[in-house]
Structure formats: C-alpha cells, structure tokens
C-alpha cells in the first residue's frame, strides 16, 4: 500500500529551478520538494561560467540589448515576450542571489564582477559585452549551495531520494478540448531507500526535473539527467515543445564530454585546428571564438571532417589557453583546468586542450506560459500544473540557448512558477482527492520489473542504453540528414521493442538502483523518438538543429514551435505553435 | 553520409588493462540465501583503460556483471559530491580517481565511507552528516534593511573565505576523521568548513552565533589535527587550516 501525503504545492526536483520555486512557494503555502538526488547533487552545481544580467557593473549594458541577443542567438524561435521578461528580471535575479549570500567574484569597487560570454553583445552585435555574473568557474555550484542554504533557513521540507514517476491529472488532457478543464491532483513517487511507493496529493505541482542529456553518449550532463519530468508529462498526454533543438556545447573534453566552460574563451582562450589556425575567424569574423554555440560546434565538426582535426585520429580540435597568465587561469578558470589535468593529463598552462562538441542542453521541454503554467495544447493550461528550468520550454532559448541564460532562466522562471503555484493553491479550496488506483500504475511497473529478475528476458538495460546513445551521437548530433534521422528512428523503434524484453538483476527493495536505471531508460527511449520525429519534420536549419539536406533557415514554413503529442496508441504526432514576436523581425544571423 | 560527427570516443591509443576490484558489500534485503544485513567481500575483474576512473570500473561491474551492486553517483566529474568512498583505504571520489593512479597489479579495495550507517553496499545514510551541516546555520545572517543593490565586498574580503566555498558536501573529510569515527557527537570537519565559509564572509553578522555552536563540546575543540580531512578533500580545501582559523577566532575573539 502506498503511503499518502498531502500538500498545497509539490515541487519535483531540487536543482536551481526547484529550489528557487520552493523559496517562494514555501513562504506562501505548505510545500514539499521531492527529489531523486540530494538537493546539492543536482546538476545545476556543475554549471561553470556565469549568469547573464545587464547590471552594467563594468561597462554600459541594458536589458534591451540582452533581449535582442537572446532572440537572435535563439535564431528567432524565441518567444519574444518571454525573452523580455527574462532579461528585464535578470538584474533582480542576480541581486536576489547576492543578498542571499552568493559569493560572486567582485570588481575592485566591490561590485559583482562580469565577464564576456558567447553571443552577448553591446548594442545589437557591435562587440562582445561583459554581462555574465560569475563566481570563478563554479557559478552553478554557488547558486545551488546558496539556494540550498536558504532552503535550510526557511525549513523547506524535502523528500530526498524520492523518484516521482507518475503524474495524476483529473482527466485526459488530449480529450479536454476547447471548453473542457483538466487539473492536477498529485504525483506518485518511489522511495529509493525503502522501495515503497508514496502518493502526494497536491493543489499545485511544479516540475523542475532538469535536462535529458543522457539520450546522447557524449554529454556534459550527469548520469541522472534522463528527462524524467518530460517523459512523465508526455505519458500523461501533455505535449513537448521543440525537442529537436538540443545544444551541443563546443568544448567538451575530447572523448569524455566533460564540459570546459565557454568562460575559457570569454577569458581569451582560442580554438585552433591541426594547422594551428584560429579557424573561427573564417566562420564568425566579428566575434570569432565567442560566436553562439551552435555555430562554433558546427565549425569544429566541420574542421574535423575536412581533415583539419588534431590527435592520432584527427578527431578533435584544440582549445588554447597557453597565452594566458597562469595566475589569471587560476583566478578565473581553476576547476576546468583541473578537469583537463585530471582526466586528460594535459597541463593547460603550457599545452592546448583537446576538445569536441558535447551534448549539453535541451532547449525544448514541457511547454509553459510565462507564469510557468503547463500548456496542454497551444493555448490551454492544465490547472495547477507548472514547470520551470531545463525541463520546461517557455520558450526563452528558441533554437539555441546563449551561454549564461539558463542559470538565469532557472532563477527567473523558477521564482515565477513558485509564486504562481502557491497563489493558485491558495485560491483553490480543497486538496484534490486521488483516485483509489492512483499508485496502481507505478506499483505494476515496479512489480513487473522485479519479476524480470532471473526470468526469460534476454535484453540488458545497459546494452540498450549504449546502443541508443551511440545511434543518437552518430545520427542526431550537430549534422543531421533525412537518412541519418531515418536510421536513428529505426534503431530507436527497435530498441523500444527490445525494451519490453529486458531483465534486471536486483529484486531487492532497498536502494534498488538497478530497477530505477531501467525506468530511466524507458524515458530516454521515448524522448529520443520525440527528438528524432521533430528533427525529421523540421526541414530547415535553425540554431542547434542543422539539416545538411536543408542547410538554410526557412521562416516561411518553420518559424514556429514543434508540439509533439504522444497518442494513446503510442504514436508520436506533431503539431505547430506560432512564435510570439513583439518587436524583433527575423534577420540573418551573422556574427 | 553524416556519421562524420561521431564523437572521438577512442581518443589516442590508450592502453587497456585488467583490474580487479575487491568490494565490501552489504545486503540489507538478504537476497540469494544471505541473512538480511550480511556484510561480505566480493571480487570482480574487468577490462578497463588506464584513463578510466574507478567509477567507470564500478559501472562496468554494475552494467555488465552484477546489477545489484549499489553506489551513488551523478555528475561523474567531481562536482556533485555523490560518490565519496574508501578506495585502497583512503577516502576519495570514485569519479575523480583514475585507475592508472592506483596500483593495478593488486586488487583495488572499495569500501563505504566510515562512521555513517551503511545502507547497501557503498551507500551510507547521509542524514547525520547533513544534520550537522544544518546545525551550524549555513546561511547568510544580516541585520538592518536590505540594500537596493548588491552588498559591496572587496576582492580581498571575498578571498578570505574562497577556499571553503568550494565544498560539495561529499563527506570525505568527516568520514576520514578518527575523532568522528569514535565520537558520534562530534560535528566533524565538514560542519566547521561550512561554518568557516560564513564566519569569514564580511557580509555576514552571525559569526558569533556560529562560533558559539562550534565552541560547544561537539565542536572544534574535538579536532586533534590528524590532517586526514585535508588529505581526503577532493576539492583541495585546506580543511585543517580552516579549522585552525576558527579555533584562533575563538581564542582571540577576532574574526
Ligand atoms: C557542465 C554544465 C555547465 C553549465 N554551465 C552553465 C553556465 O555557466 N551558465 C548557464 O546559464 N547554464 C549553464 N549550464 C546549464 C544549466 O546549468 C542547467 O540548464 C540548469 O542548471 C538546469 O537546472 P534545473 O534546476 O532545471 O535542473 P537540475 O539542476 O538538473 O535539477 C534537476 C532536479 O530534478 C530532480 N529530478 C530529476 N528527475 C526526478 C524524478 N523523476 N523525481 C524526482 N526528482 C527528479 C533531480 O534530483 C534534481 O534535483 C550548464 C550545464 C552543464 C551540464
Ligand atoms: S570539505 Fe572537502 S571533503 Fe569535506 S565535504 Fe567539503 S568537499 Fe568534501
Ligand atoms: S559523481 Fe559527482 S562527485 Fe563523483
């Protein structure tokens, strides 16, 4: 029998977005945070380079320039009303964190220091601007710690190592139509420590479950970023928006995918090919190495494919920091240079570092309004359901996110979702009741997975995951074609079929991570299909999505968001949603 | 013809090798005929690259040999603090320990960190550890009206507590401390690191509240300066130095 809990607001996820929401919500309403990781283990802590805000602490800047950069960087798939909110609220978002105690780096006058980052410019593209607020190359770590510390102060209630795996709504969002209404009733979770199932009744639920980078093999994302929230929403009948847009960050440690922040280039680092050439001069003459990530990643992959890669297999390029003062490197980039030493045995003071693009960020996700309300189609919301952070799509990142805009996103929209969810809960009379069989689905899943131990299942979770990640890296990475996508689609369909025949090893109840890896793989397999389907349908190139067979942007047909629905029979169906344009007409993206 | 973007997984020619891991296991459920709560050693042999981490070897075991092996991990590059364990009798992060830096001709021993209740295999109950952290009030305390803009802080003042801001709450220090092993009351080094981060922050006004807590019988005076914590810290934090700065503040009354 499931243990029952009731709260006004339940937040799923304790990364930056979840905890920022919790700080607002718990002041206003009875709030619980359910998280599969201890809060401080969340991947927000891995973020390095900075958080954007036009503070103008070191040079002239303003929110309008930031908005323009965000929209242009996103290749005009950004909803412009949302981008305006993001950039206008950025200043307070940074100041709020400072007031909470975040130890930012400081200018000589004692203000929050700022540095350059890709795609962030002065006056609509004139030159790079210092907009990223930072704490060495551990900005995300400081954000995560500071928010957690504030949650301790506010005595936020956490359910640590609880996996939310089911969302309970009071109706089918795909059947509700124009006049119908669907509201949230709660979530069902699995406790890692005990193996027990818990139900959480709630007036409001906020999803803040982070990214899904593990659909790829080479990724900067944690093992635990398996897109659970997106997968749960999709299964509950909620669409996912723009999932084909995945950001490949240019500088992952070659072969490993561990990230070296763009701050390395913001501080003066240079990318070079096997001829020692600063090749970005050819691709983006004005801002060179600080062009947006999709452009730099493609340029790197192109250098490699044209034979100008480095190393024994000519399969990476080099990030050169050797002209920087060691003291400067130690002050501004201590962690990432240590990663190069630890994992590749390279000394960045004297040797250039092997790098190659790594799957980094999901621009797409659960569609929301600017208040964080989850959409069940282009216009209607699911009442009481919210999403924020990387699992959500507002959309402020469009087809390509600018560096430092995600730490900003999680703070601005985490806060907004927290306030909105609490206010909705306070305006709602009773905590909805759950149907008697609310936990039945999850109980069934868990029981049948346990029953595979020692059974006839012939497939292994790790093997299927490996094959999935390999096909995604091979066919759905920075260069895509109709053929590569068709191949990936075929492989994923086949893997989904084979998934029904898996066997796990662990039948235990306590800390059964074997069982959870199987469940997480289920999400990865479903989400990959959505990524691929979106990429197949989008016969153009825009931001992070590049089709070699359709190499240009096609505003006439594709300046719209993809909305992917999972139908009751399991098929993925695509629809489109208009982009919100306020004042910026699309123009060619040149840097 | 798009396979060109394939990731360079096989960068260079990294020699492969055979390594044996000897793991201290704990079975809470009592599966396969064991008593619930059995503790036993088990050896696994895997093929690995010299550049692989201990975490990679553990994954090979879990994914290809024995899925019941339980350990925590997330980021896989030393920033989330999930996978502190005792590797060859020293506390380290599995994801930051390269096989080539251990002696591969002998079995590598892997045990859970000591002093916290073991839950399953390499997983321990972290609650007591986080409880000590919460106790030192790890949040900025200020009085007076909140300023409009940021509170100013000079780069020099910021540098005073830089080292202790790096802590990822992995517990490697606390669970390497002989005093912590024998005295369940002791907060342990991490809590002192956590307090140091605020005590020496020029913006904070709660330093004496925290110093009073650390002056308590469970506090800093229990430290016998064994230096294990400093050696164990995967973030390179000078834990012992932080502790001595706290002790000095208590004896001199100056922060
Ligand atoms: C290496 C790296 C560097 C980066 N650097 C920057 C940068 O410099 N600037 C920038 O702006 N952005 C950066 N980003 C991006 C940014 O860090 C992330 O997009 C952002 O932190 C995501 O925050 P989040 O709160 O949405 O998710 P996360 O921090 O990933 O948190 C997800 C939370 O959800 C929980 N969760 C997941 N599934 C479940 C489930 N089923 N049940 C319960 N809980 C669940 C987890 O426990 C976790 O608490 C970087 C990303 C990476 C990977
Ligand atoms: S001080 Fe170092 S060893 Fe101790 S918890 Fe923090 S990071 Fe881990
Ligand atoms: S897995 Fe994150 S610190 Fe090792």
């Amino acid at each position: 029998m499931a243990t029952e809990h009731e709260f006004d607001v339940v937040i799923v996820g304790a990364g930056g977005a979840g905890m920022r929401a919790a700080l607002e919500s718990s002041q206003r309403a009875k709030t619980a945070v359910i998280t599969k990781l201890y809060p401080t283990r969340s991947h927000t802590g891995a973020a390095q380079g900075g958080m954007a805000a036009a503070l103008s602490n070191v040079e002239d800047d303003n929110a309008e320039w930031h908005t323009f950069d965000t929209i242009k960087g996103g290749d005009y798939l950004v909803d412009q009303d949302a981008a305006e909110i993001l950039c206008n609220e950025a200043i307070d978002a940074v100041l709020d964190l400072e007031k909470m105690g975040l130890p930012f780096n400081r200018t000589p006058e004692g203000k929050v220091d700022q540095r350059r980052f890709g795609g962030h410019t002065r006056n609509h593209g004139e030159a790079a601007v210092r907009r990223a607020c930072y704490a060495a190359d551990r900005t995300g770590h400081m954000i995560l710690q500071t928010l957690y510390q504030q949650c301790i102060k506010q005595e936020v209630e956490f359910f640590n190592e609880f996996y939310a795996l089911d969302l309970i709504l009071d109706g089918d969002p795909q059947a509700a139509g124009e006049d119908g209404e669907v509201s949230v009733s709660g979530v069902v979770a699995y406790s890692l420590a005990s193996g027990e199932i818990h139900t959480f009744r709630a007036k409001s639920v906020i999803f803040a479950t982070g990214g899904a980078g593990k659909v790829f093999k080479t990724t900067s994302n944690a093992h635990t970023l398996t897109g659970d929230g997106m997968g749960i929403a999709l299964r509950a009948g909620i669409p996912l928006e723009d999932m084909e847009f995945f950001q490949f960050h240019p500088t992952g440690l070659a072969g490993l995918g561990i990230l070296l922040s763009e701050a390395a280039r913001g501080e003066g680092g240079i990318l070079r090919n096997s001829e020692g050439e600063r090749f970005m001069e050819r691709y983006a003459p004005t801002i060179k190495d600080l062009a947006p990530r999709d452009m730099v990643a493609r340029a790197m992959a192109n250098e490699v494919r044209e034979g100008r890669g480095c190393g024994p297999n000519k399969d990476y390029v080099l990030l050169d920091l050797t002209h920087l003062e060691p003291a400067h490197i130690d002050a501004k980039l201590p962690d990432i240079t240590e990663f190069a030493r630890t994992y590749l045995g390279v000394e960045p003071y004297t040797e250039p570092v092997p790098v190659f693009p790594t799957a980094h960020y999901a621009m797409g996700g659960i569609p929301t309004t600017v208040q964080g309300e989850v959409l069940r189609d282009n216009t209607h919301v699911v009442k009481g359901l919210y999403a924020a952070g990387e699992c959500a799509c507002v959309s402020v990142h469009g087809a390509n996110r600018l560096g430092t805009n995600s730490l900003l996103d999680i703070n601005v929209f985490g806060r907004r979702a927290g306030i909105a969810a609490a206010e909705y809960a306070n305006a709602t009379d009773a905590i909805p009741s759950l149907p008697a069989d609310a936990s039945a689905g999850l109980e069934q899943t868990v029981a049948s997975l346990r029953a595979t131990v020692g059974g006839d299942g012939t497939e292994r979770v790790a093997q299927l995951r490996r094959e999935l990640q390999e096909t995604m890296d091979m066919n759905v990475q920075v260069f895509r074609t109709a053929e590569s996508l068709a191949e990936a689609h075929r492989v994923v369909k086949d893997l989904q079929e084979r998934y029904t025949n898996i066997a796990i090893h662990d039948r235990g109840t306590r800390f059964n991570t074997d069982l959870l890896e199987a469940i997480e793989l289920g999400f990865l397999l479903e989400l990959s299909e959505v990524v691929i389907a979106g990429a197949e349908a989008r016969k153009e190139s825009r931001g992070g999505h590049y089709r070699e067979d359709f190499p240009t942007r096609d505003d006439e047909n594709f300046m719209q968001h993809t909305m992917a629905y999972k139908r009751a029979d399991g098929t993925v169906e695509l629809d489109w949603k208009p982009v919100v344009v306020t004042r910026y007409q699309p123009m060619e993206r040149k840097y | 013809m798009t396979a060109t973007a394939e990731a360079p997984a096989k960068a260079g020619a990294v020699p492969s090798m055979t390594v044996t891991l000897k793991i201290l296991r704990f079975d809470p459920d009592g599966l396969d005929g064991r008593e619930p709560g059995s503790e036993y050693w088990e050896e696994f042999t895997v093929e690995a690259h010299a550049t692989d981490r201990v975490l990679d070897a553990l994954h090979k075991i879990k994914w290809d040999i024995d899925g019941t092996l339980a350990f925590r991990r997330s980021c896989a590059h030393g920033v989330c603090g999930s996978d502190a364990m005792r590797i060859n009798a020293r506390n380290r992060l599995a994801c930051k320990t390269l096989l080539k830096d251990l002696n591969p001709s002998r079995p590598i021993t892997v045990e859970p960190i000591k002093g916290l209740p073991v839950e399953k295999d390499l997983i321990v109950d972290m609650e007591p550890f986080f409880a000590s952290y919460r106790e030192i009030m790890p949040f900025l305390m200020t009085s007076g009206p909140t300023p409009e803009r940021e509170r100013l802080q000079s780069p020099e003042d910021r540098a005073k507590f830089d080292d202790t801001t790096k802590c990822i709450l992995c517990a490697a220090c606390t669970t390497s401390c002989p005093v912590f092993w024998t005295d369940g009351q002791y907060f342990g080094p991490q809590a002192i690191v956590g307090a140091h981060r605020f005590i020496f922050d020029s913006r904070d006004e709660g330093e004496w509240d925290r110093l009073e807590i650390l002056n308590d019988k469970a506090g800093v005076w229990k430290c016998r300066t064994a230096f294990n914590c400093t050696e164990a810290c995967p973030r390179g934090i000078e834990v012992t130095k932080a502790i001595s700065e706290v002790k000095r503040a208590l004896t001199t009354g100056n922060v």
Side-chain angles (χ1 to χ4, degrees):
Chain A
M1 260 326 281
T3 310
E4 287 174 28
H5 308 265
E6 36 173 275
F7 288 92
D8 293 323
V9 180
V10 165
I11 299 173
V12 182
M19 289 202 285
R20 190 67 189 77
L23 290 178
E24 298 301 330
S25 161
S26 65
Q27 286 180 20
R28 298 169 169 85
K30 188 173 179 232
T31 300
V33 181
I34 302 177
T35 170
K36 72 177 184 181
L37 302 172
Y38 271 89
T40 57
R41 314 298 183 218
S42 304
H43 212 54
T44 291
Q48 302 166 352
M51 169 167 166
L55 291 182
S56 304
N57 275 1
V58 286
E59 59 180 312
D60 201 20
D61 195 7
N62 64 59
E64 193 275 323
W65 295 350
H66 185 187
T67 308
F68 170 82
D69 289 338
T70 300
I71 293 165
K72 179 181 173 194
D75 225 350
Y76 296 92
L77 199 69
V78 171
D79 284 332
Q80 300 185 4
D81 56 339
E84 284 172 17
I85 291 172
L86 179 82
C87 301
N88 286 328
E89 295 185 5
I91 295 157
D92 279 338
V94 166
L95 295 178
D96 282 351
L97 288 169
E98 196 285 328
K99 288 168 197 165
M100 291 178 198
L102 196 140
F104 284 108
N105 274 43
R106 300 287 171 157
T107 65
E109 310 79 59
K111 297 190 215 162
V112 172
D113 197 13
Q114 299 188 274
R115 65 176 164 209
R116 297 190 184 91
F117 240 81
H120 290 280
T121 70
R122 165 158 50 85
N123 195 16
H124 312 103
E126 271 177 19
V129 74
R130 291 173 63 176
R131 185 177 290 149
C133 309
Y134 67 99
D137 53 359
R138 347 188 145 99
T139 315
H141 166 76
M142 301 301 187
I143 291 177
L144 191 69
Q145 297 293 329
T146 302
L147 293 176
Y148 180 59
Q149 290 157 357
Q150 290 297 308
C151 285
I152 292 176
K153 182 174 173 195
Q154 254 176 255
E155 299 182 8
V156 170
E157 189 166 353
F158 287 101
F159 290 81
N160 294 326
E161 302 194 316
F162 272 58
Y163 287 64
L165 294 170
D166 238 336
L167 169 65
I168 308 296
L169 305 176
D170 69 358
D172 174 0
Q174 295 186 9
E178 282 295 312
D179 309 318
E181 226 178 55
V182 183
S183 311
V184 80
S185 344
V187 293
V188 187
Y190 176 95
S191 155
L192 182 66
S194 68
E196 282 162 0
I197 290 174
H198 293 244
T199 56
F200 292 80
R201 294 168 54 195
K203 296 176 183 172
S204 309
V205 170
I206 306 177
F207 272 45
T209 52
K214 278 289 153 181
V215 298
F216 292 96
K217 175 174 157 205
T218 309
T219 176
S220 65
N221 283 10
H223 285 288
T224 46
L225 287 174
T226 47
D228 305 6
M230 301 174 190
I232 294 164
L234 184 73
R235 286 178 189 172
I238 290 160
L240 296 180
E241 181 174 345
D242 290 341
M243 290 296 286
E244 63 272 31
F245 293 102
F246 216 95
Q247 177 166 83
F248 300 93
H249 192 293
T251 52
L253 281 184
L256 292 168
I258 296 172
L259 195 77
L260 300 186
S261 171
E262 199 169 283
R265 282 170 286 137
E267 297 290 348
I270 292 170
L271 291 166
R272 299 188 190 282
N273 60 20
S274 60
E275 291 157 15
E277 182 203 9
R278 182 179 194 178
F279 57 85
M280 282 312 298
E281 286 180 332
R282 268 188 282 122
Y283 297 88
T286 311
I287 57 174
K288 306 184 182 79
D289 298 89
L290 286 176
R293 292 176 176 172
D294 59 309
M295 293 184 152
V296 181
R298 270 196 304 281
M300 290 168 65
N302 199 51
E303 289 301 299
V304 163
R305 128 165 130 161
E306 291 182 355
R308 292 185 295 276
C310 307
N313 304 321
K314 291 177 140 326
D315 54 3
Y316 54 77
V317 300
L318 295 171
L319 175 65
D320 187 358
L321 303 174
T322 58
H323 53 290
L324 303 181
E325 281 299 318
H328 184 69
I329 292 181
D330 289 348
K332 300 296 177 73
L333 308 168
D335 279 5
I336 61 170
T337 43
E338 192 191 314
F339 298 154
R341 288 181 198 113
T342 306
Y343 297 111
L344 291 183
V346 167
E347 174 46 68
Y349 294 158
T350 54
E351 294 167 84
V353 183
V355 289
F356 199 73
T358 182
H360 184 59
Y361 184 83
M363 267 77 73
I366 304 168
T368 71
T369 68
V370 294
Q371 312 302 345
E373 301 153 294
V374 171
L375 290 163
R376 61 177 160 87
D377 56 25
N378 287 2
T379 47
H380 296 87
V381 302
V382 176
K383 300 187 81 177
L385 184 61
Y386 301 80
E390 193 169 336
C391 73
C393 180
V394 185
S395 140
V396 288
H397 308 304
N400 171 62
R401 169 175 75 83
L402 290 188
T404 68
N405 266 357
S406 175
L407 291 179
L408 176 58
D409 174 7
I410 62 180
N411 278 287
V412 167
F413 291 100
R415 174 175 168 278
R416 285 178 156 252
I419 295 172
E423 284 178 352
Y424 174 83
N426 290 340
T428 304
D429 288 340
I431 300 183
S433 56
L434 288 176
D437 63 350
S439 59
L442 183 56
E443 271 158 18
Q444 169 62 31
T445 305
V446 168
S448 56
L449 277 169
R450 284 217 180 97
T452 67
V453 177
D456 333 315
T458 51
E459 300 288 355
R460 299 298 314 273
V461 167
Q463 179 60 22
L464 299 187
R465 189 174 48 214
R466 232 173 260 144
E467 289 181 33
L468 171 71
Q469 293 169 339
E470 264 160 27
T471 199
M472 292 297 284
D473 266 26
M474 178 93 84
N475 297 306
V476 197
Q477 223 224 21
V478 294
F479 295 121
R480 302 166 172 181
T481 64
E483 295 81 60
S484 76
L485 294 169
E487 168 63 8
H489 209 146
R490 188 191 62 71
V491 173
V492 167
K493 277 298 191 197
D494 180 52
L495 290 170
Q496 287 176 349
E497 186 59 39
R498 288 166 61 193
Y499 181 73
T500 59
N501 190 28
I502 52 172
I504 64 167
H505 275 161
D506 196 343
R507 65 160 65 87
T509 52
R510 317 222 323 118
F511 290 93
N512 189 340
T513 51
D514 196 30
L515 181 124
L516 285 154
E517 281 193 35
I519 292 177
E520 289 171 332
L521 174 62
F523 293 129
L524 292 178
L525 286 170
E526 281 177 55
L527 294 175
S528 313
E529 186 184 355
V530 176
V531 172
I532 295 165
E536 287 182 301
R538 189 172 282 278
K539 297 186 171 58
E540 65 155 354
S541 290
R542 182 186 297 270
H545 168 70
Y546 189 80
R547 289 280 302 256
E548 290 190 277
D549 40 359
F550 299 95
T552 52
R553 196 174 80 198
D554 175 358
D555 288 333
E556 202 158 315
N557 293 303
F558 292 105
M559 200 175 125
Q560 41 186 347
H561 301 289
T562 308
M563 298 286 274
Y565 295 81
K566 184 147 194 149
R567 299 302 182 197
D569 64 359
T571 55
V572 173
E573 234 172 75
L574 301 180
D575 195 6
W576 305 95
K577 185 171 92 159
V579 172
V580 180
V581 175
T582 55
R583 52 198 283 202
Y584 303 95
Q585 288 308 314
M587 53 184 226
E588 198 195 338
R589 210 165 50 122
K590 273 206 294 229
Y591 286 92
Chain B
M1 217 312 291
T2 42
T4 35
E6 193 189 349
K10 310 123 218 144
V14 184
S16 99
M17 58 190 201
T18 306
V19 288
T20 300
L21 276 77
K22 188 176 166 206
I23 302 176
L24 184 59
R25 305 203 54 179
F26 178 81
D27 175 3
D29 288 307
L31 302 175
D32 300 328
R34 283 182 294 267
E35 283 292 308
S38 312
E39 192 183 71
Y40 56 101
W41 288 93
E42 192 167 0
E43 284 195 8
F44 298 92
T45 299
V46 292
E47 284 302 308
H49 294 295
T51 50
D52 282 349
R53 302 151 260 186
V54 170
L55 180 63
D56 296 312
L58 290 172
H59 271 146
K60 281 194 172 129
I61 296 167
K62 182 171 184 67
W63 291 343
D64 299 332
I65 305 173
D66 182 356
T68 67
L69 181 68
F71 51 90
R72 291 191 179 98
R73 89 300 186 242
S74 185
C75 73
H77 64 286
V79 296
C80 78
S82 292
D83 60 342
M85 44 189 87
R86 252 167 94 81
I87 299 169
N88 283 353
R90 256 190 60 191
N91 278 4
R92 330 181 202 221
L93 298 177
C95 66
K96 230 186 153 179
T97 308
L98 269 56
L99 293 174
K100 72 172 166 56
D101 298 329
L102 302 169
N103 175 3
S105 61
R106 299 235 316 271
I108 298 165
T109 59
V110 184
E111 302 160 76
I113 43 180
K114 278 170 69 169
L116 292 167
V118 179
E119 300 263 21
K120 178 174 179 180
D121 297 339
L122 303 169
I123 296 179
V124 300
D125 179 5
M126 296 293 289
E127 263 321 308
F129 171 79
F130 279 103
S132 296
Y133 179 60
R134 287 195 294 268
E135 211 144 324
I136 52 92
M137 301 190 281
F139 38 80
L140 192 74
M141 292 194 257
T142 56
S143 59
T146 324
E148 280 263 317
R149 292 285 294 197
E150 65 261 57
R151 294 193 166 81
L152 298 181
Q153 180 168 59
S154 71
E156 296 70 39
D157 280 342
R158 167 67 177 75
K160 285 186 188 145
F161 64 104
D162 186 57
D163 202 33
T164 44
T165 63
K166 298 187 307 199
C167 176
I168 53 174
L169 293 160
C170 71
C173 55
T174 295
T175 60
S176 72
C177 173
V179 180
F180 179 77
W181 294 339
T182 49
D183 181 347
Q185 296 300 307
Y186 178 41
F187 286 145
Q190 193 291 322
I192 306 171
V193 165
H196 179 282
R197 179 254 169 271
F198 287 99
I199 291 170
F200 294 93
D201 184 335
S202 59
R203 300 169 296 174
D204 184 78
E205 295 165 32
E207 63 269 30
W208 287 104
D209 298 297
R210 290 190 198 88
L211 284 166
E212 205 170 299
I213 296 170
L214 294 177
N215 200 20
D216 182 85
K217 58 183 180 344
V220 282
W221 305 113
K222 296 242 166 173
C223 165
R224 292 278 164 272
T225 330
F227 276 101
N228 288 17
C229 50
T230 301
E231 275 165 36
C233 179
R235 300 290 284 149
I237 298 170
E238 294 183 81
V239 182
T240 316
K241 181 166 165 231
I243 296 175
S244 66
E245 284 174 3
V246 169
K247 285 180 179 166
R248 187 168 348 114
L250 278 171
T251 37
T252 64
N254 294 322
V255 172

